[in-house]
Amino acid sequence: MTLSLYSDEHYMREALKQARYALEEEEIPIGAVVVMDRQIIARAYNQTEKLRDVTAHAEMLALTAAANHLGNKYLQDCTLYVTVEPCVMCAGASFWAQLKRVVYGAPEDKRGYRRYGNLLHPRTELATGIMALECAALMQEFFARKRK
Amino acid sequence: MTLSLYSDEHYMREALKQARYALEEEEIPIGAVVVMDRQIIARAYNQTEKLRDVTAHAEMLALTAAANHLGNKYLQDCTLYVTVEPCVMCAGASFWAQLKRVVYGAPEDKRGYRRYGNLLHPRTELATGIMALECAALMQEFFARKRK
């Protein structure tokens, strides 16, 4: 099996690279990329510790960077790839951005938005479970290190 | 009746000043302040149009500014005053910040977080309806202008 250049797996692999940067910096390892017309227009990883700012989640930083890139706050032709199920805050931001698609890797049963219902925009398509094991493994590695 | 210097009304009046700056700049007129130990440590108003960024709600900007001021991402001794009921995104941010209190003015039945349940942190106290008429009047003025 070859990995398609424009598959969800391809872009999730890029989000995972971002998540690994977070892990290296002792941040909760979540990464995100925003894709439009097959091009990655924004990349970000969680920086809540570094920036001492609870709003500095990977998704928030990526959405802001994508909007800056496009000069448009609406991201209706964009897909957000993120390694872990977004929280309520990030789902809310995705709603306002009116994203075309949200694709996440690992579920997050405790802090993920889905337990509160569908908080995404009605027009936003959702795909889940893309490279979920790899995405979850990074989180497990982080919390295992923390417990030591 | 005299207005207490440290009453919720006093701080909401400061949030309203911020909302009026938003109105002057043709932004949806929502303002916020963050208070700790009776001092206002952050002030912000909605700037989604100016910054072309859906995440630039008054609350988000105020929470980030307060965290920067304190050098601490947790705002457990802080109260957020905001003129209108926060959206899901801002409620989610308030959750992460573990605010002591959230005080809002006017309810927002369509886009407010409360229709999704209590999204605030379990330790966060909530007070609503402070200067609600004044807060709502600004919103009505904005949308009346838009319709013209």
Side-chain angles (χ1 to χ4, degrees):
Chain A
M1 189 187 112
T2 54
L3 185 66
S4 162
L5 195 55
Y6 304 121
S7 65
D8 282 342
E9 285 75 10
H10 169 72
Y11 296 113
M12 190 60 79
R13 208 172 290 275
E14 294 297 316
L16 269 164
K17 281 186 195 167
Q18 295 295 310
R20 279 188 208 102
Y21 294 143
L23 187 70
E24 283 167 21
E25 297 180 15
E26 297 182 32
E27 301 274 0
I28 294 180
I30 300 178
V33 299
V34 176
V35 173
M36 191 174 87
D37 296 338
R38 297 183 167 182
Q39 288 221 327
I40 295 176
I41 61 170
R43 303 169 194 263
Y45 57 91
N46 176 42
Q47 295 194 56
T48 52
E49 296 300 327
K50 186 179 182 183
L51 300 179
R52 293 179 189 170
D53 183 349
V54 296
T55 75
H57 283 194
E59 300 94 314
M60 304 297 281
L61 300 175
L63 293 177
T64 294
N68 285 346
H69 174 79
L70 297 174
N72 186 347
K73 65 179 180 158
Y74 296 118
L75 305 174
Q76 295 166 321
D77 297 317
C78 295
T79 298
L80 171 71
Y81 290 86
V82 56
T83 56
V84 176
E85 179 184 341
C87 73
V88 163
M89 171 180 72
C90 295
S94 299
F95 174 92
W96 291 120
Q98 303 182 17
L99 287 164
K100 184 179 175 184
R101 285 181 81 214
V102 168
V103 180
Y104 70 73
E108 170 47 277
D109 292 340
K110 196 168 176 200
R111 294 285 171 238
Y113 77 91
R114 290 183 79 178
R115 59 186 293 199
Y116 297 100
N118 180 18
L119 303 182
L120 304 182
H121 196 278
R123 70 182 295 283
T124 303
E125 294 170 30
L126 176 66
T128 70
I130 309 299
M131 302 189 70
L133 290 180
E134 292 87 338
C135 295
L138 271 185
M139 296 288 275
Q140 287 153 6
E141 185 178 340
F142 175 82
F143 288 108
R145 283 189 197 181
K146 278 275 166 193
R147 278 192 297 270
K148 273 184 194 166
Chain B
M1 189 184 112
T2 53
L3 184 67
S4 162
L5 196 54
Y6 305 121
S7 65
D8 283 342
E9 286 74 12
H10 169 73
Y11 296 113
M12 190 59 80
R13 210 172 288 274
E14 294 298 315
L16 269 164
K17 281 185 197 167
Q18 294 296 311
R20 277 186 210 103
Y21 295 143
L23 187 70
E24 283 168 20
E25 298 182 15
E26 298 183 31
E27 301 273 0
I28 293 179
I30 301 177
V33 300
V34 176
V35 174
M36 190 174 89
D37 296 337
R38 297 183 167 181
Q39 288 220 323
I40 295 177
I41 62 170
R43 302 169 194 264
Y45 56 92
N46 176 42
Q47 297 193 54
T48 51
E49 295 300 326
K50 185 179 182 184
L51 299 180
R52 293 180 188 171
D53 183 349
V54 295
T55 74
H57 285 192
E59 301 95 312
M60 304 297 282
L61 300 174
L63 293 177
T64 294
N68 286 346
H69 174 79
L70 297 174
N72 187 346
K73 66 179 179 158
Y74 296 117
L75 304 173
Q76 294 165 322
D77 297 318
C78 295
T79 298
L80 171 71
Y81 290 86
V82 56
T83 56
V84 176
E85 178 184 342
C87 73
V88 163
M89 172 179 72
C90 295
S94 300
F95 174 92
W96 290 120
Q98 303 182 17
L99 288 163
K100 184 178 176 186
R101 285 181 83 213
V102 168
V103 181
Y104 71 72
E108 170 46 279
D109 292 339
K110 195 167 176 199
R111 294 285 171 240
Y113 77 90
R114 289 184 80 178
R115 58 185 292 198
Y116 297 100
N118 180 16
L119 303 182
L120 305 181
H121 196 277
R123 71 181 294 285
T124 303
E125 293 169 32
L126 177 66
T128 70
I130 310 298
M131 302 189 70
L133 291 180
E134 292 87 339
C135 294
L138 272 187
M139 296 289 275
Q140 286 153 7
E141 186 177 340
F142 174 81
F143 289 108
R145 282 188 199 180
K146 279 276 167 192
R147 278 192 297 270
K148 270 181 195 165

